């Protein structure tokens, strides 16, 4: 959840750390801090955003070339200067930054208090650094050994980076359950929660595995396990360009990423489908492809927007493949006693590939003998390594906290998976398969047509920016889109919104409808069109204000709705790929008009790597 960055080399550590924190700020932004080894160990931290930290440091001269930095999303202790990272040991000799949760921090803290240790903050992280110091003193050992002993007694998730003024040429990092990547440059090393702070300096990286410790000392990198077993680093080449993590002239990353969707969906399909030859190949699904085709049941686990993509996949797979599908919140699945049988297939969906609840759900399903497929965006992520097989989105980095292009990328991959299964099972005809591939290949151009409505959607947003509640309705494939539209509005504008199957409106939510209630209805032409028309009439009969997303050329609904946004016609199964675009833009413009920070909405962070 939090952002970690570290530097060891010949550059100014301060410059690298602050730039890295700005690129990681989407992971947490309630406080920030750095620690640098120069003339001793210097620590600067401040409540607020990275710019507040810069203002706090101001003209202070920081000369060190080894350092660590952190941008926080609060778990233990409210946002404050004191609770901000880095945290120091009691002797002020060791500094640590930490992403994750130390579950047994309370018992460790009581043990340390009994030994006379004092604490300044409310955080579990300060407990960890004090624990490391206690071990170092009691065992008369160096920092690396103290960290190794401590991590063998810690329960929970962590990615940490540690420096000490007593060992000024040493930077130590470790991970379990939280991501950490090491960049290997020319005579320098970088640490980060993801590759965005690293790509400017090198494209060679090592993804640290769970229970591994990285030791950077005297210009060399060594990786061991917490059991002190030396590992051989696996160096990978980053497929990431610096331009991809910049705004590129857009006012916000979210708007940039909305407008990137014609390209990101095209990249997702590139090399995988050829509509002219009816070719569909998912290179990441080969060895276990028969398991998908022969599955008697598929369970999808995901969180948030990814869960909504899973709901669309449920419709797709049951419709095209005739396999029963269950869609589970990963956070609930992991704490139930789910019925998983040998040979069941579990599909895990995550943009970051680091979602803690989804990772835990994968491990639970694995322990019961399930075959696990991953649908993730971030190459080299924990979920991509924990699954048996899977498919990357290739959507490029998504910096905006509210997911947009990752959602449509997930839908594209899941559609291709469903088509692959249906084709091999014979549950769809050759003609249907061919038509679907052709329609799918046309989606990028159809999305461009939706984006042309941006000005109209901004006009509608201005009329409803002060609404206190929204209702989103959809049927069939568009029901999950209604849920996703409501979530986007809640996430970035802080307006209460709910998504419902349109037919369920009369089973309760209809009581909310009056002339003050905007109702967004996804009412494209499909086999439930007549029913959705009836639902709109029910809303209008109660003086509700209807904003309808309709198929271009619709002559009926525009006569009833107060506002209409047209989208191009496509197959019912693919309609979520285009019908979600107006809802993304509507939420974006409402949030901007309300003065909200759309890229960094309050209380949220991009990658949820803690429970």
């Amino acid at each position: 959840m939090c952002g970690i960055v570290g530097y060891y080399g010949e550059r100014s550590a301060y410059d690298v750390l602050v730039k890295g924190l700005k690129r990681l700020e989407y992971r947490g932004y309630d406080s920030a801090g750095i620690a640098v080894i120069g003339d001793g160990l210097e620590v600067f931290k401040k409540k607020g955003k990275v710019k507040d930290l810069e203002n706090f440091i101001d003209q202070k001269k920081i000369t060190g070339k080894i350092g660590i930095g952190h941008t926080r999303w609060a778990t233990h202790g409210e946002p404050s200067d004191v609770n901000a990272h880095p945290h120091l040991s009691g002797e002020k000799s060791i500094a640590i930054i930490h992403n994750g949760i130390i579950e047994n921090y309370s018992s460790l803290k009581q043990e340390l208090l009994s030994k006379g240790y004092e604490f300044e903050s409310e955080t579990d992280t300060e407990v960890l650094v004090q624990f490391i110091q206690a071990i170092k003193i009691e065992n008369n050992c160096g920092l690396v050994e103290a960290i190794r002993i401590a991590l063998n007694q810690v329960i929970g998730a962590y990615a940490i980076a540690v420096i000490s003024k007593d060992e000024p040429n040493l930077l130590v990092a470790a991970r379990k359950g939280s991501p950490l990547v090491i960049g290997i440059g020319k005579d320098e090393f970088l640490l980060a929660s993801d590759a965005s702070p690293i790509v400017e300096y090198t494209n060679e990286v090592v993804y640290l595995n769970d229970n591994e410790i990285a030791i950077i000392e005297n210009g060399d990198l060594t990786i061991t396990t917490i059991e002190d077993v030396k590992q051989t680093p696996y160096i990978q080449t980053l497929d990431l360009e610096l331009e991809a993590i910049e705004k590129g002239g857009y006012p916000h990353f979210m708007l940039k990423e909305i407008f990137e969707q014609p390209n990101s969906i095209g990249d997702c399909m590139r090399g995988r489908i050829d509509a002219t030859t009816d070719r569909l190949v998912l290179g990441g699904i080969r060895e276990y492809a028969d398991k998908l085709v022969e599955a008697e049941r598929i369970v999808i686990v995901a969180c948030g927007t990814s869960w909504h993509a899973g709901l669309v996949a449920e419709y797709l797979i049951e419709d095209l493949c005739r396999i029963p599908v269950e869609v589970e919140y990963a956070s609930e699945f992991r704490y139930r006693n789910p019925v998983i049988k040998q040979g069941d297939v579990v599909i895990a969906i995550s943009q970051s590939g680091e979602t803690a609840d989804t990772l835990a759900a994968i491990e639970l399903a694995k322990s019961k003998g399930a075959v696990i497929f991953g649908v993730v965006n971030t190459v080299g992520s924990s979920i991509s390594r924990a699954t048996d097989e899977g498919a990357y989105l290739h959507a490029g980095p998504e910096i905006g906290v509210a997911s947009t292009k990752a959602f449509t990328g997930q839908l594209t991959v899941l559609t291709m998976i469903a088509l692959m299964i249906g084709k091999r099972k014979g549950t769809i005809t050759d003609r249907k398969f061919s038509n679907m591939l052709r329609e799918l290949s046309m989606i990028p151009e159809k999305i461009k047509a939706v984006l042309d409505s941006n000005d109209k959607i901004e006009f509608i947003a201005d009329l409803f920016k002060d609404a206190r509640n929204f209702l989103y309705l959809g049927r069939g494939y568009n029901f999950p889109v209604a849920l996703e539209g409501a979530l986007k509005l809640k996430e970035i504008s802080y307006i209460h919104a709910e998504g419902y199957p349109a037919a369920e409106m009369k089973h309760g939510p209809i009581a909310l409808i009056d002339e003050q209630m905007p109702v967004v209805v996804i009412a494209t032409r499909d086999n439930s069109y007549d029913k959705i028309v009836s639902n709109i009439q029910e809303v209008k009969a109660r003086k509700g204000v209807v904003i309808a997303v309709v198929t271009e050329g619709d002559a009926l609904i525009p006569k009833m709705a107060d506002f209409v946004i047209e989208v191009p016609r496509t197959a019912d199964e693919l309609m979520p790929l285009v019908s979600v675009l107006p809802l993304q833009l509507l939420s974006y413009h409402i949030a901007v008009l309300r003065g909200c920070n759309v890229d960094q909405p309050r209380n949220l962070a991009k990658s949820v790597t803690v429970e």
Side-chain angles (χ1 to χ4, degrees):
M1 199 70 111
C2 307
I4 284 176
V5 63
Y7 181 74
Y8 186 114
E10 294 302 319
R11 303 176 196 265
S12 162
Y14 170 77
D15 293 339
V16 177
L17 295 175
V18 169
K19 186 179 290 186
L21 289 180
K22 288 178 179 178
R23 290 189 174 143
L24 288 172
E25 198 166 21
Y26 69 94
R27 299 181 68 93
Y29 32 86
D30 57 46
S31 60
I34 63 168
V36 174
I37 294 177
D39 297 327
L41 177 60
E42 297 180 280
V43 175
F44 305 91
K45 54 185 185 175
K46 194 69 179 171
K47 177 184 175 182
K49 298 184 184 298
V50 177
K51 65 181 179 182
D52 297 306
L53 175 66
E54 285 187 287
N55 292 336
F56 173 64
I57 294 173
D58 197 20
Q59 300 299 315
K60 296 181 179 69
K61 190 174 182 180
I62 304 173
T63 58
K65 297 180 179 180
I66 298 174
I68 54 178
H70 187 271
T71 180
R72 184 173 185 247
W73 185 87
T75 53
H76 289 73
E78 66 180 21
S80 68
D81 291 353
V82 171
N83 288 331
H85 296 213
H87 287 283
L88 290 168
S89 60
E91 294 181 340
K92 313 297 184 188
S93 61
I94 304 171
I96 191 171
I97 54 177
H98 168 224
N99 177 19
I101 293 177
I102 306 301
E103 295 176 7
N104 62 334
Y105 84 99
S106 182
S107 60
L108 294 174
K109 187 173 185 178
Q110 290 304 312
E111 178 185 339
L112 291 165
L113 286 169
S114 70
K115 295 177 179 179
Y117 284 82
E118 298 178 353
F119 295 86
E120 297 180 356
S121 75
E122 304 168 76
T123 68
D124 55 337
T125 305
E126 187 186 5
V127 174
L128 179 57
V129 72
Q130 296 275 44
F131 187 47
I132 291 169
Q133 177 186 294
I135 291 171
K136 189 171 183 289
I137 293 171
E138 292 167 9
N139 291 271
N140 191 28
C141 62
L143 181 64
V144 174
E145 180 65 6
I147 291 171
R148 189 185 70 78
I149 295 171
L151 295 182
N152 273 287
Q153 299 181 52
V154 159
I155 299 171
Y158 55 80
I160 60 170
V162 191
I163 55 176
S164 170
K165 69 178 182 181
D166 296 334
E167 298 177 66
N169 292 312
L170 175 66
L171 171 58
V172 185
R175 71 153 283 180
K176 180 183 178 182
S178 289
L180 204 57
V181 58
I182 303 167
I184 302 174
K186 181 174 172 48
D187 301 321
E188 63 183 353
F189 297 91
L190 298 101
L191 301 173
S193 298
D194 64 43
S196 57
I198 294 174
V199 65
E200 180 176 348
Y201 306 98
T202 180
N203 66 349
E204 291 191 339
V205 297
V206 173
Y207 291 96
L208 211 59
N209 294 313
D210 275 354
N211 299 313
E212 287 185 343
I213 300 174
I215 304 154
I216 303 170
E217 187 172 21
N218 297 322
D220 292 321
L221 169 67
T222 303
I223 296 178
T224 72
T225 68
I226 60 173
E227 288 81 23
D228 203 23
V229 178
K230 192 171 181 179
Q231 305 293 295
T232 301
Y234 174 51
I235 299 174
Q236 301 184 47
T237 302
L238 277 178
D239 184 18
L240 178 64
E241 299 295 333
L242 183 60
E243 292 78 8
I245 57 173
E246 304 291 346
K247 289 182 183 176
Y250 287 90
H252 300 97
F253 280 110
M254 183 179 178
L255 187 63
K256 177 195 176 199
E257 289 155 7
I258 290 172
F259 273 82
E260 282 179 341
Q261 287 175 103
N263 291 331
S264 62
I265 290 176
D267 290 341
C268 183
M269 292 187 288
R270 183 168 293 114
R272 289 170 165 170
I273 71 168
D274 184 345
T276 62
T277 59
D278 289 348
R279 176 179 174 271
L280 170 58
V281 176
L282 292 172
I285 302 177
R286 291 182 182 274
E287 184 179 347
Y288 291 88
D290 288 344
K291 298 291 186 181
L292 273 170
V293 175
E294 297 164 4
E296 295 184 3
R297 182 178 69 140
I298 293 175
V299 179
I300 296 174
V301 292
C303 300
T305 286
S306 298
W307 187 79
H308 296 156
L311 288 179
V312 176
E314 178 183 17
Y315 284 68
L316 283 165
I317 295 170
E318 291 193 343
D319 189 9
L320 301 178
C321 312
R322 310 311 299 156
I323 301 173
V325 178
E326 298 173 19
V327 185
E328 297 265 8
Y329 284 113
S331 55
E332 288 295 309
F333 179 86
R334 63 178 294 194
Y335 288 114
R336 294 198 296 105
N337 185 20
V339 178
I340 298 290
K341 298 177 294 183
Q342 189 85 22
D344 277 353
V345 168
V346 171
I347 299 176
I349 310 172
S350 168
Q351 189 282 136
S352 67
E354 302 292 348
T355 310
D357 287 322
T358 307
L359 273 166
I362 288 170
E363 293 306 317
L364 175 60
K366 266 185 166 181
S367 71
K368 294 178 178 290
V371 177
I372 316 293
F373 291 86
V375 176
V376 301
N377 190 36
T378 306
V379 176
S381 57
S382 297
I383 289 176
S384 69
R385 288 178 284 163
T387 50
D388 295 305
E389 285 191 330
Y392 286 117
L393 309 185
H394 299 305
E398 187 177 67
I399 307 299
V401 167
S403 183
T404 52
K405 66 176 181 177
F407 177 70
T408 52
Q410 288 166 350
L411 295 186
T412 304
V413 166
L414 292 163
T415 300
M416 289 190 290
I417 290 173
L419 287 171
M420 180 194 76
I421 298 171
K423 172 72 169 176
R424 291 183 58 168
K425 282 192 71 173
T427 49
I428 56 175
T429 65
D430 290 344
R431 181 175 181 181
K432 172 83 169 181
F433 180 80
S434 178
N435 288 341
M436 287 289 290
L437 284 189
R438 186 171 61 254
E439 281 294 320
L440 189 57
S441 68
M442 295 167 63
I443 288 296
E445 289 302 314
K446 294 185 177 185
I447 286 179
K448 288 180 183 178
V450 179
L451 295 173
D452 288 340
S453 300
N454 183 48
D455 290 346
K456 180 178 183 179
I457 295 169
E458 184 177 9
F459 171 78
I460 295 171
D462 190 43
L463 298 176
F464 294 99
K465 66 181 184 295
D466 297 319
R468 298 183 62 185
N469 300 283
F470 266 76
L471 191 62
Y472 286 73
L473 302 177
R475 298 185 78 126
Y477 283 99
N478 282 321
F479 161 53
V481 176
L483 294 176
E484 175 62 11
L487 177 62
K488 283 292 152 289
L489 191 68
K490 284 183 280 194
E491 283 181 313
I492 63 173
S493 74
Y494 320 137
I495 295 173
H496 174 256
E498 296 293 338
Y500 278 93
E504 286 298 303
M505 177 183 60
K506 55 184 173 288
H507 294 286
I510 199 168
L512 299 171
I513 293 175
D514 58 21
E515 61 272 13
Q516 302 301 316
M517 173 67 83
V519 181
V520 179
V521 185
I522 304 100
T524 54
R525 282 270 183 190
D526 57 21
N527 58 13
S528 62
Y529 178 79
D530 292 340
K531 300 297 183 182
I532 204 88
V533 168
S534 297
N535 297 138
I536 292 173
Q537 290 171 330
E538 291 167 351
V539 173
K540 292 305 298 177
R542 288 153 182 85
K543 299 183 179 179
V545 181
V546 173
I547 304 167
V549 177
V550 304
T551 306
E552 59 185 359
D554 189 312
L556 179 57
I557 291 178
K559 296 177 181 177
M560 296 183 286
D562 298 274
F563 303 93
V564 170
I565 304 166
E566 289 192 338
V567 297
R569 185 183 299 274
T570 189
D572 292 355
E573 298 90 343
L574 304 181
M575 185 52 75
L577 284 163
V578 292
S579 63
V580 74
L581 267 292
L583 309 189
Q584 293 174 349
L585 287 168
L586 183 66
S587 63
Y588 168 80
H589 287 300
I590 287 176
V592 170
L593 290 164
R594 287 168 64 89
C596 301
N597 187 336
V598 296
D599 285 338
Q600 297 175 355
R602 68 187 183 202
N603 303 332
L604 297 178
K606 183 67 177 173
S607 179
V608 185
T609 58
V610 298
E611 290 188 48

